[in-house]
Amino acid sequence: MSEAEMNENINEETSEDQAEQEKLKFDVDIQEVSSCERHIKITIQREEIVRYLDKEYQELHQKAAIPGFRPGKAPRKLIEKKFKNDVTDRVKNNLILDSLTQVNEGKELTPISEPDLDIKKIILPEEGEFIYEYNIEVRPEFELPNWNGLKIEKPVRDFTDEDVDRAIKRIQTNYGILIDSDAPAEEDDYIVTKLTFKQGERVISKADEETIRIRPVLSFHDGVIKDFDKLMVGAVAGERRTAKTVLSDDTPNYSLKGQEIDAIFDIKAIKKLQIPEVDSNFLYQIGGYSDLGDFRDDVLDTLKRQLEYEQQQSARKQITKQLTVNADWQLPPALLERQSARELQRSILELRRSGFSDEKIMSQLNFLRQNVKSSTAQALKEHFILEKIAEVYGIEDSPEDYDVEIALIAAQSGETPRRIRSQIEKRGEMDILRNQIIERKVLNMIQEEAEFVEVPYNMEGITEEALDLAAGSETQESAIPEVSEEEAKEVARNDAEKNLHNFTNSQEHI
């Protein structure tokens, strides 16, 4: 080893020793509140507080502007008197930030949220120890389940021309025109109706005008009406038809959860769908196709991608069911409530990536909203396990992974990948994409070691009409409200004020 290399090693060891010496020394007491909650008490000794104060005053001494003194010449007592409040506040913030960082870097816990503390209310004492406490949500501790050699059913299908024809028929309906009809309603016709939800004589919510397609099932955010087609077939304008429905436990109006209410349809008009012919104008309108064969090839590719989605979802359900069989952790209600909106967004991105229509997406969202707590709890348990497998086996995301995801979403929306990326970043959903990428890679690894049994994939027609409203909501707000831009800015301002963002990025991994 050369002298230069020896000196370099000595310098590196010296820097590491200095960094270790400069680390904040404190005592930490971690109490388990529940599987995913910890109460943490931090105790910082007086000598560490003095060390931080001395460092701040020394730096301030060199640059403080004190009338009558040159920089670096003013007495320290004068500087302490003039800047005591500012220095004390900075030292308090630094002590909290450094202690939180070191706790987070330790192996005792894996935070999944920021600490529940108000830094403004914490006071740095003039004498004695500095003690502060907080609660934090963490990933539960568990042993990895055995994932090798799982048995999984895989839905498969060789798509036929008839499958493509049916898919094209569905696309045609998206570009159809509704025309008035005097004939009694038939299945797949549309009703224009005033919709009122009542319990007894009390009106719970209403929509003055909804256009609804007649299908076997009608869903909304917090419930479903089965046999909707039987209810409406034969109806004419001016009639009233009534059905009963039971609101889900996740209705936004908690006083009505699990209760039966009436859905009253005052029918204003019957409409039939006039679908366009698949001619050159239609082909150009939907995607600039110059050839029917190219259009059919694209439709077939979409069907294959949807089958891939169904295969992934089927495999995921079977894999995670086996992996989470012992995951009996009690998840904090606040965590479930916070993550529910993210679970909806994750589902939207997955469905868009796979080329599903808006009505399919709305139908899936209504199902999730009706079971939001249980579906979110299951999704979180799955994520904790898949994320830990990714950590153990070094599975990571790459920039190319995001390019692929965004390109697939863009291909279905008709917008450019650049615009889609901008929209996702603006909504703060890049971490959701990251989760999808990591989880998909882990699932692919598990599937490589799995034993597959092929089963037929049955393509079901669309049997559900999904409404974007909540029957139990008196204000007709979404069951899972969106955060306004101003609210988001306020949260960002508060976070910046706390200056705690640097201590953890773990929440982005949920």
Side-chain angles (χ1 to χ4, degrees):
M1 180 182 293
S2 68
E3 183 177 348
E5 289 174 328
M6 290 179 63
N7 290 334
E8 185 177 346
N9 287 342
I10 291 172
N11 290 335
E12 288 179 358
E13 291 175 2
T14 302
S15 298
E16 291 175 2
D17 291 341
Q18 290 175 346
E20 189 65 31
Q21 291 174 3
E22 291 177 0
K23 268 193 170 184
L24 176 63
K25 298 179 179 65
F26 59 94
D27 296 322
V28 56
D29 178 47
I30 302 176
Q31 299 292 329
E32 182 175 326
V33 178
S34 69
S35 300
C36 295
E37 295 173 292
R38 300 291 184 271
H39 179 78
I40 299 179
K41 179 180 179 181
I42 302 291
T43 303
I44 303 174
Q45 300 301 323
R46 192 68 206 173
E47 52 265 31
E48 289 294 272
I49 302 173
V50 171
R51 178 165 71 88
Y52 271 60
L53 286 168
D54 284 343
K55 182 181 179 182
E56 282 291 330
Y57 280 122
Q58 286 173 12
E59 293 178 357
L60 188 58
H61 186 259
Q62 300 302 317
K63 58 185 179 181
I66 304 294
F69 297 93
R70 287 179 295 167
K73 299 300 182 181
R76 171 162 169 168
K77 287 190 177 294
L78 183 60
I79 293 175
E80 289 180 1
K81 182 177 180 181
K82 184 175 180 61
F83 298 104
K84 179 180 179 181
N85 290 339
D86 290 340
V87 168
T88 298
D89 209 40
R90 279 203 299 274
V91 166
K92 177 192 72 173
N93 291 347
N94 289 337
L95 287 169
I96 292 174
L97 182 60
D98 289 351
S99 56
L100 288 174
T101 300
Q102 290 176 217
V103 170
N104 185 55
E105 289 174 349
K107 297 180 180 179
E108 291 85 0
L109 37 85
T110 306
I112 58 176
S113 70
E114 293 187 354
D116 179 20
L117 57 82
D118 187 345
I119 202 170
K120 287 184 177 180
K121 294 182 179 179
I122 298 175
I123 306 299
L124 183 69
E126 295 189 3
E127 298 180 356
E129 302 169 330
F130 176 34
I131 300 174
Y132 72 93
E133 303 178 54
Y134 63 91
N135 294 319
I136 194 167
E137 295 167 344
V138 299
R139 188 175 70 190
E141 299 174 2
F142 57 89
E143 295 292 329
L144 277 184
N146 180 25
W147 54 267
N148 283 286
L150 299 180
K151 292 185 177 181
I152 303 172
E153 291 186 348
K154 180 180 181 179
V156 295
R157 185 183 184 94
D158 291 326
F159 291 107
T160 65
D161 288 342
E162 288 74 18
D163 293 330
V164 175
D165 289 339
R166 282 192 291 270
I168 290 176
K169 189 77 171 180
R170 288 195 294 270
I171 295 173
Q172 287 175 268
T173 62
N174 294 334
Y175 294 86
I177 300 173
L178 291 178
I179 57 174
D180 291 326
S181 173
D182 294 328
E186 299 177 349
E187 187 170 353
D188 283 335
D189 284 351
Y190 289 76
I191 60 168
V192 180
T193 182
K194 176 182 177 182
L195 176 56
T196 307
F197 293 100
K198 298 176 67 175
Q199 187 177 55
E201 296 301 315
R202 180 168 71 97
V203 174
I204 300 167
S205 64
K206 63 181 180 179
D208 288 335
E209 186 168 294
E210 288 285 334
T211 301
I212 304 172
R213 193 167 191 174
I214 300 175
R215 285 178 167 154
V217 176
L218 177 67
S219 75
F220 30 94
H221 293 186
D222 47 1
V224 297
I225 296 175
K226 296 181 178 179
D227 294 329
F228 181 69
D229 53 344
K230 295 178 181 177
L231 176 70
M232 288 299 165
V233 167
V236 295
E239 280 192 351
R240 167 178 286 190
R241 301 217 169 174
T242 302
K244 293 187 179 296
T245 184
V246 176
L247 296 182
S248 72
D249 287 343
D250 291 310
T251 179
N253 192 335
Y254 295 134
S255 65
L256 291 173
K257 64 180 183 179
Q259 295 192 31
E260 186 178 74
I261 63 172
D262 293 317
I264 302 168
F265 300 85
D266 290 306
I267 301 169
K268 299 180 178 181
I270 305 296
K271 292 181 179 288
K272 293 186 179 292
L273 184 67
Q274 187 177 62
I275 63 175
E277 295 294 328
V278 182
D279 53 20
S280 58
N281 289 333
F282 178 78
L283 292 174
Y284 182 80
Q285 178 187 2
I286 64 173
Y289 296 101
S290 58
D291 182 81
L292 178 60
D294 290 340
F295 175 48
R296 292 182 67 88
D297 287 343
D298 270 4
V299 172
L300 179 59
D301 287 343
T302 298
L303 289 176
K304 290 178 178 178
R305 193 158 62 253
Q306 290 175 358
L307 173 58
E308 180 185 346
Y309 170 85
E310 296 294 345
Q311 290 171 340
Q312 290 288 344
Q313 291 300 105
S314 175
R316 179 188 176 105
K317 288 178 183 177
Q318 294 174 72
I319 291 169
T320 54
K321 182 178 180 180
Q322 297 178 67
L323 294 182
T324 59
V325 66
N326 294 319
D328 55 354
W329 322 306
Q330 293 299 312
L331 302 177
L335 175 61
L336 293 176
E337 184 175 349
R338 193 170 61 252
Q339 292 300 125
S340 59
R342 296 169 65 84
E343 176 62 12
L344 287 181
Q345 292 303 319
R346 184 190 69 79
S347 297
I348 291 172
L349 290 175
E350 281 278 10
L351 290 163
R352 283 180 178 166
R353 174 190 187 275
S354 302
F356 286 99
S357 64
D358 287 345
E359 60 182 351
K360 172 66 176 177
I361 293 174
M362 179 57 65
S363 177
Q364 177 68 9
L365 291 184
N366 280 351
F367 173 78
L368 289 174
R369 286 185 175 111
Q370 294 159 22
N371 305 274
V372 66
K373 291 178 183 176
S374 60
S375 61
T376 302
Q378 180 63 23
L380 275 173
K381 291 177 180 180
E382 293 170 5
H383 172 77
F384 290 147
I385 293 174
L386 297 176
E387 184 81 13
K388 188 169 182 178
I389 293 175
E391 290 175 5
V392 171
Y393 291 91
I395 296 174
E396 298 179 343
D397 53 326
S398 69
E400 293 75 21
D401 294 325
Y402 293 90
D403 292 341
V404 170
E405 295 293 317
I406 290 170
L408 286 170
I409 295 171
Q412 298 307 312
S413 65
E415 299 191 55
T416 64
R418 183 176 180 179
R419 180 169 175 78
I420 291 296
R421 181 184 288 272
S422 175
Q423 292 172 351
I424 291 174
E425 289 175 345
K426 185 176 181 180
R427 293 194 298 263
E429 295 174 358
M430 289 301 289
D431 58 315
I432 300 177
L433 267 190
R434 183 259 175 200
N435 293 341
Q436 290 181 189
I437 291 167
I438 293 296
E439 292 182 5
R440 191 177 296 118
K441 286 186 173 184
V442 173
L443 290 169
N444 288 340
M445 180 183 72
I446 294 174
Q447 290 178 65
E448 288 175 1
E449 303 295 327
E451 178 183 337
F452 282 95
V453 178
E454 293 187 350
V455 296
Y457 170 50
N458 297 317
M459 292 182 62
E460 298 180 356
I462 298 175
T463 60
E464 180 178 321
E465 176 76 352
L467 298 183
D468 187 16
L469 58 82
S473 175
E474 296 177 357
T475 58
Q476 280 308 318
E477 293 178 352
S478 171
I480 301 175
E482 296 182 358
V483 178
S484 70
E485 184 175 353
E486 187 55 40
E487 289 172 328
K489 288 180 180 178
E490 180 63 25
V491 171
R493 284 194 292 268
N494 291 338
D495 287 344
E497 182 180 341
K498 289 182 179 181
N499 194 25
L500 295 176
H501 275 30
N502 293 331
F503 99 96
T504 179
N505 64 0
S506 301
Q507 189 175 11
E508 294 182 356
H509 293 173
I510 302 180

